[in-house]
Amino acid sequence: MTVDARVRTIAIVGGGTAGWMAAAILARRLRKDFVRIDVIESAEIGTVGVGEATIPPLRLFNQALGLDENDMLRATQGTFKLGIEFRDWSRLGHTYFHPFGDVVSAARRLRASLPQDWLRIRSHGDHTPFEVYSLNTQVARAGCFVRPRDLDEEALNRRAAGSASLWSDFSYAFHFDAALYAEYLRKYAQARGVSRIERKVVNVELRPEDGFIRALRLDDGAQVEADLFIDCSGFRGLLIEQALKTGYEEWTHWLPCDRAVAVPSENAGPLTPFTRSTARSAGWQWRIPLQHRVGNGYVYCSRHISDDEAAATVLSGLDGTPRAEPRFLRFTTGRRRQFWNRNCIALGLASGFMEPLESTSIHLIQKGLTHLLNLFPDRHCAPVLVREYNRVATEEYERIRDFIILHYKATARDDAPLWRECREMSVPDTLAYKLRQFRNSGRVVRYGSELFATPNWLAVMLGQEIWPQHYDTLADQRPIDETRANLEHIRATIRDAAESAPRHEDYIARHCRA
Ligand SMILES: Cc1cc2nc3c(=O)[nH]c(=O)nc-3n(C[C@H](O)[C@H](O)[C@H](O)COP(=O)(O)OP(=O)(O)OC[C@H]3O[C@@H](n4cnc5c(N)ncnc54)[C@H](O)[C@@H]3O)c2cc1C
């Protein structure tokens, strides 16, 4: 590589969560005398202003930046998240929990094979729910939280053997105000040399010879040139779509919701350490507790409900008084045909959209940045790098898409047209194959390095009441009474371990109150 070909300037268009996550990690990883980074954002356009629930890998991103987790939580009104409670998804009145943490490994350490041992005792009439084998779920249901590192050692030692090892598979993420998170990262990035240009981009100039982006024209007539452009401009995809005409692959035939209405409300009652998702007649409603308010919203399909009815549904189900007028958002589920096109990489809402049912959007920004740093180009953006980035990003998007479709497809609800349509729809082959395998013998097939692992698929497949026809016959090797006793021991160990966690509010008050 010649010195001349090095990327010397990066322009990031957009100052939402995506733009400032990009600026922060690039500023951390690239020396400022090596690369100049500009973020262009327009106060007039603003940000999407929603997005409050995250998943555990975000902790790695924060660690890569060297952030102090408690400081970040104080600055963003954050709380802890142990998983998602799903209400009325499989059928009205039914509830299940999709926890973080690895129930399969935790049980393996205690010499049990999940779900096979559980399926076996179930076939012998024991209907204890699967979720009693998850420490995350039990701590969440008790309204408690603790970071394992803060567990009182003495308390741990007093408890049953095995309790300590259970905590190593315990996992957590955060609920926070994503706008405050972006602001927090903005300060971080600016302190490391990133320059912020508060202007509107009015034109994107392409190089005639190869169609690469050459420069951005701003509304004051100034021009920003760069070697590499990161499009974080939100749904509009200012660079990737409006300028480069990359194209969009729609998934609305599988994920028909196309609108959301968001309403924050006052906190009333204890801070639950989990997100709640309640299926409604035309979509689903989220509830996300932050320190200063509760985030609520209804993701719905406009073919089945009007905006006014959707807003009335959310307003009628709030725990406390609303703190703002309902805000409506429109979206089309799907992805850009290429996430990286020429010298432009799209991140965040500019790259595609999947509804926030499993809180995956901010994670996809993080993954995009990881891949970009792994495949960091020179100014020519070699097609081989671009191709690899698009391959892994597509794989990630599609596997998450399958996981979200599973929630809609595996329902017994027939009380509303949306659910009847979803029950009947055909699903992507990759998901259909997984479902066949699981229905046969409770086995979870995984593709490559997909985000959701066996415990996640198990929680949602069993939660949505998909019952395997058989269990693995190897589970029959042990006498049934031994398997029963072993599982009972695990349940008791988990109950014991869960009791050592303090209440979620008390933990926040002690460590990270805003
Ligand atoms: C209803 C809903 C709920 C969601 N919930 C979650 C959740 O719980 N968890 C999760 O992980 N994700 C969630 N998301 C997704 C999450 O909100 C986004 O991934 C995240 O906020 C990133 O947004 P962004 O930065 O890509 O875009 P935006 O926030 O829209 O930012 C776009 C930026 O581009 C700038 N811009 C645009 N055009 C121009 C221009 N011409 N000139 C200059 N600047 C310009 C804007 O000013 C703004 O700064 C949700 C999304 C929706 C719609």
Side-chain angles (χ1 to χ4, degrees), residues 52-72:
E52 295 157 334
T54 65
I55 55 174
L58 187 69
R59 285 164 43 211
L60 300 176
F61 184 79
N62 290 335
Q63 279 163 22
L65 293 177
L67 301 183
D68 176 281
E69 206 171 272
N70 286 334
D71 188 53
M72 183 280 290

Side-chain angles (χ1 to χ4, degrees), residues 71 177 199 242 251 257 313 317 332 347 391 437 464 491:
D71 188 53
D177 180 329
R199 296 248 61 106
Q242 294 184 12
W251 291 335
C257 291
T313 306
T332 306
L347 292 174
R391 184 189 72 78
Q437 291 288 342
Q464 298 280 145
R491 295 203 292 265

